[in-house]
Amino acid sequence: MGESMREIKIALIGAGSMGKNLTAAYQNIPRVFYPSTPIPRLRIVSDLVEERARKFAEQFEFERWTAHWEDAVADKQVDAVTIATPNHLHRDLVLAAANNGKHIFCEKPLAQNAGEGREMYEIVHKAGVKAMVGFVYTKNPLVLMARRMIEEGELGQIYHFRARFLQDWAMSPEVPFSWRFQRKTAGPGCVSDLGSHIIQMARFLVGEFDEVCALSSTFIHERPLPEVASPSEECPKEKVDIDDATGFLARFKSGAMGAFEVTRFAAGRKIAMGFEANGSKGSIDFDHERMNEINVYFTSDPEDRQGFRTILLGPAVPYAGLWFGIPGVGLGYDALVMIELYEFLEAIVNGREAKPDFYDGWKVCQVVDAIVAAARQKRWVKVDGF
Amino acid sequence: MGESMREIKIALIGAGSMGKNLTAAYQNIPRVFYPSTPIPRLRIVSDLVEERARKFAEQFEFERWTAHWEDAVADKQVDAVTIATPNHLHRDLVLAAANNGKHIFCEKPLAQNAGEGREMYEIVHKAGVKAMVGFVYTKNPLVLMARRMIEEGELGQIYHFRARFLQDWAMSPEVPFSWRFQRKTAGPGCVSDLGSHIIQMARFLVGEFDEVCALSSTFIHERPLPEVASPSEECPKEKVDIDDATGFLARFKSGAMGAFEVTRFAAGRKIAMGFEANGSKGSIDFDHERMNEINVYFTSDPEDRQGFRTILLGPAVPYAGLWFGIPGVGLGYDALVMIELYEFLEAIVNGREAKPDFYDGWKVCQVVDAIVAAARQKRWVKVDGF
Amino acid sequence: MGESMREIKIALIGAGSMGKNLTAAYQNIPRVFYPSTPIPRLRIVSDLVEERARKFAEQFEFERWTAHWEDAVADKQVDAVTIATPNHLHRDLVLAAANNGKHIFCEKPLAQNAGEGREMYEIVHKAGVKAMVGFVYTKNPLVLMARRMIEEGELGQIYHFRARFLQDWAMSPEVPFSWRFQRKTAGPGCVSDLGSHIIQMARFLVGEFDEVCALSSTFIHERPLPEVASPSEECPKEKVDIDDATGFLARFKSGAMGAFEVTRFAAGRKIAMGFEANGSKGSIDFDHERMNEINVYFTSDPEDRQGFRTILLGPAVPYAGLWFGIPGVGLGYDALVMIELYEFLEAIVNGREAKPDFYDGWKVCQVVDAIVAAARQKRWVKVDGF
Amino acid sequence: MGESMREIKIALIGAGSMGKNLTAAYQNIPRVFYPSTPIPRLRIVSDLVEERARKFAEQFEFERWTAHWEDAVADKQVDAVTIATPNHLHRDLVLAAANNGKHIFCEKPLAQNAGEGREMYEIVHKAGVKAMVGFVYTKNPLVLMARRMIEEGELGQIYHFRARFLQDWAMSPEVPFSWRFQRKTAGPGCVSDLGSHIIQMARFLVGEFDEVCALSSTFIHERPLPEVASPSEECPKEKVDIDDATGFLARFKSGAMGAFEVTRFAAGRKIAMGFEANGSKGSIDFDHERMNEINVYFTSDPEDRQGFRTILLGPAVPYAGLWFGIPGVGLGYDALVMIELYEFLEAIVNGREAKPDFYDGWKVCQVVDAIVAAARQKRWVKVDGF
């Protein structure tokens, strides 16, 4: 394959904060993964607010900008579309991109529901394009190591998987209304926004869900609109119709038990995406708030030498050596984004798998839908029914 | 009240490891709580195995021993009966003790089911005796502080309570069969053995449960019998008919959400009885494996000074000053047993409340029964139905 | 040896808070170490304040009390003298006890200086009595395990030993004057009070000191006297003539490097007696503020499985199984006192070594004296010179 | 100032791993600090090995490359020289750059000794160029917050500052010889390599050193040369003439006490650059191995609410909001390099101070020299004498 073919022209849809993270990653990939890397070129950025698109293009040196995503998706030069819009726009974007033969990287959650997810999975499958979903936390090198440990049987049979994604940013009633508080734009809600991360983490590490039961709450039922004509008027409010928090139990197809919680109302927990797996031969414990370390326990250690050992991120772990040659130096969240987009580009150029793909994205939607149904109907719900 | 009335004569039923812990506590109380303390006198110990009772009496200097608990419970000199037997014996012991007008300290879980628990609660209520249940972890001075913080509104409205009691002692298939693996003797199982601790912790800190859903597993379905006639024969096995692990979700009557897990199959977790409460003004995080510290977060701290603060056990905390005058010295599990029994004795002598009492014990059984029903019937179950 | 000879009659000198800890330990030993244990009998307690002695005897059920330690030490029935007085009284007490043929347990630091320490060592050696010094932190079962690991070469050659004993109780200028702030009564000061603990810890784990350099400070130069005739008068003050904090570097005879700090001015550190040993094969890290866990690292672990493992106190560790049969339950500081006094009693009854003994006590004084000289003379000082 | 003046043309000297880190930072700065930022342009890279320079230029898109640093430093278009060579080359590079009127960013330690450091400070001062030293750990936003807290008196009078930089990469005798093991190239050794970081940290937070005493060790006295003609021959070795580890005590001019350790022989410690400051009103505790959190203690908290609080990196902290809008997301080491180079560029363009500057670099050398003298001469040494 010639050198020129290693260049991938990127369209970005959505010039918000996640768009910024993704763009930064594209810019850094050629340097970090040098020399064995495809070269992303920032071809076009699209945002519904044209001024935002223009400024973003200027800042990050995209060749073009547009307020019409249809233009971006149809741009002949574009090889791959990167979707970082509110959730409800994913479907139309994906369909258009696939129909144009573009490879697709779409932020999580893939779809508003499992039906949409399946449709999106099928269209990209039929189109034969690479299609990946941005479950970024699964790309932490220490999580990749955890996966490998489980796959190779180091933990034995997995009995338990517990995970949580705890935040506190929505606790104040003064936090203004946004698209994240509305089913129409956000899909199921916190259960999907945060839940999709830990559901995919569970699938990645333990396998498919069989059935779930769940409990959801909305603690604050309306929120002030962000823009007010006059500060002297009483602030108009908008109804919140999604959950602020959801807990769910699960049985995995393997028989393992799952216990999960997502919330935006855990004071002091900022981005506490954590999990623990307990197997017949050992355990793994991880929390993104300490993303450069993982705790591992082996029952095979001598009885008086057993303990959770804290392994620091370092060059012995997948990818981490690309940054620094010694352990403990510390990567940031941005490195995880680089790893996922690098794998996306590699999949395009070298035909490797782009995982997690839209199948994963769809299956996560199924679990979310099952959870939502379980919470509403107050019963156990089979995941495969969605 | 005269000095002589401060002496309380104790009967202990059950000369096992918990009996030993309780006896040690009785022996230490007069010294630790000096001088404002009742004096327990070790009158009689009972065990079904007479030799065990005799040796125990000898070791701990009980005045008498017996293989017939009826004798112990009926001993005229005995003021208070302390029950540390397998669970299935609690009911008959309590009824006999109450009928003899004895005060009762009973290890948790109080009863095999809510019906029994209610019966026991009613009998002691009618008998007018003091009756306490040994939910020992709620007596950690730091937990008492947590309770006070919540009661006084320092955490605001509680949104979440999550708790876990993780152990790993039963993971090996070679762990022999014992009364803890059999419904007949152990009651509902791990859900009751470990679960009752965190259920009462939840009730203590957050209030009554409204409804629950649950998931239970038995990972190892039969266990070798401990005694084998000859090692050359194949080891005979006994069926396990209780859960090895249970997860449950709950709605509290206050509206708070609960998420819970108990298991004997979490490799590396030894006695990980922990909880976290998230309220509108702050959070509390505790784990018994680090029983001398508690983590507390306040949203009222300045934005750039917010963080979980690790408070060490010390004299500013209830009871802890009795041991050592400076923080950080460290108490052991045994101190918690002393505190609960001191409160039991104080209740008898000074008419104070003995909390948690049999009402609590019964309510915990209700929650356990609801969990068991929820797990079996795979549905949400109202706690008050039991 | 007959059963009756297993009874050891105890004289306690000093009815303060340490005396209370030691007495409690004596009371608990027969139960905890049952049945293979000597039985201490509380024969007599002495305190310069007679009323204190009387009350103490009453509380703890000593057979006798006295205000004259000479009586206690000469009491014919007494087998062993336990010294828990301010430091400056140790010497005369030890000499009298040894001359009366009594075994001796003396709180640390043994002596006011190395000369006194050597004299005390020689007298007990000549008298042929068992004589132990109360370096209680070395008796933590996890520390005993650490010692065994080092002895058996699990850490290889020790390159570094760093230790600290950080407290903050003296930070406020309002903390009143006491014997601990005066050379006459306290000996060298904080360097001896806290320093002796970590010096002996270092000797226990790494071996003898060769030479030291040091830096000392007194941050608050006078303290209010605790009792004031009238609160309206200005509070009289007393001069502080000891150090509030000392840091010292050391070369061990083995070639290992040592770095140490003791202070009463480390805000937030309550009883932070901690150490770390780095060897060619691994490291150990411990802090008494988390006294039920120790962190251990092995270079022999596979490269991507290396990490400090947190080992919880449990039955696999020396002594800990006596309390509870499972790990993680948690012992308190009081358990350490029981272990040291149990070993003292065992030494008397069964002729075992009572370690750390007065030789250790003397050697620690040598190191303290060398540190004091080094700090004053601002030079490196050989330890053997004292 | 016009937009065009915001462009700074960079020469990089030294195409090794640190050069890579610095280049990556330059590339990222315009995006991260957008829009209020100078724009670095990668003009020329120099390396003694021409092939290395060429490849580096290719990878990072420098306009030119050279094997002759004199060319790079004299390049008319270059505004600022970035020095990332072995230490012994710093002086000549700085002198040439200053004489050419270039601004200078030089990696730490600035010089081989204080004399050189002073010379370098004086030349840049005379040349009127901006000159900064790369003490990167002081640029952690949490460290900047710590500095502000101390400056504003939140910790009161500082009594203690203890710091450590512990690594373990040199422990194996098979680690090959490199310029870091030789005084000629590395300067004083580990004491300077790691020590300069914590010395500057101390100066940044507590102020100037007054005097020091020290202890150094070389544990492995010769190392194999990296390249061997034939593996069958015995591997030739080179003598190590620097320290592997150094401990030092210090008195600060403020009266505060300092205790420090640097080593490459602490098994399990990878990049454990940590410090603790204890003041009359509180304490701060930090370790780079958990670079996204800092622990802070205030004596002004209510007595039963005092504890070290763990503050996560977040937007309330200087700079951190530029990356992510919520706390806990996590930055990597690379972000620290961006911050320092951003401040360097800002200093050039906007005339701000470039701190730490060459005065700091020189003063750190003085402390290092004093430590080396103190260790060799085994005495306390005044820092100002160097």
Side-chain angles (χ1 to χ4, degrees), chain B residues 87 90-91 94 106-113 116-118 120-121 132-133 135 192 196 357-362 364-365:
Chain B
N87 305 339
H90 288 183
R91 180 189 164 276
V94 161
C106 184
E107 267 309 314
K108 49 56 58 183
L110 178 59
Q112 297 288 82
N113 54 58
E116 250 191 43
R118 180 173 188 162
M120 290 155 85
Y121 161 64
M132 193 170 171
V133 186
F135 295 111
S192 177
S196 61
D357 60 17
F358 275 29
Y359 180 78
D360 297 304
W362 162 39
V364 169
C365 288

Side-chain angles (χ1 to χ4, degrees), chain D residues 65-78:
Chain D
W65 75 85
T66 178
H68 307 283
W69 60 258
E70 296 84 349
D71 292 354
V73 168
D75 182 319
K76 285 257 156 56
Q77 293 208 26
V78 164

Side-chain angles (χ1 to χ4, degrees), chain D residues 205-217:
Chain D
L205 296 174
V206 184
E208 296 293 351
F209 285 71
D210 183 10
E211 51 182 348
V212 293
C213 74
L215 177 65
S216 286
S217 291

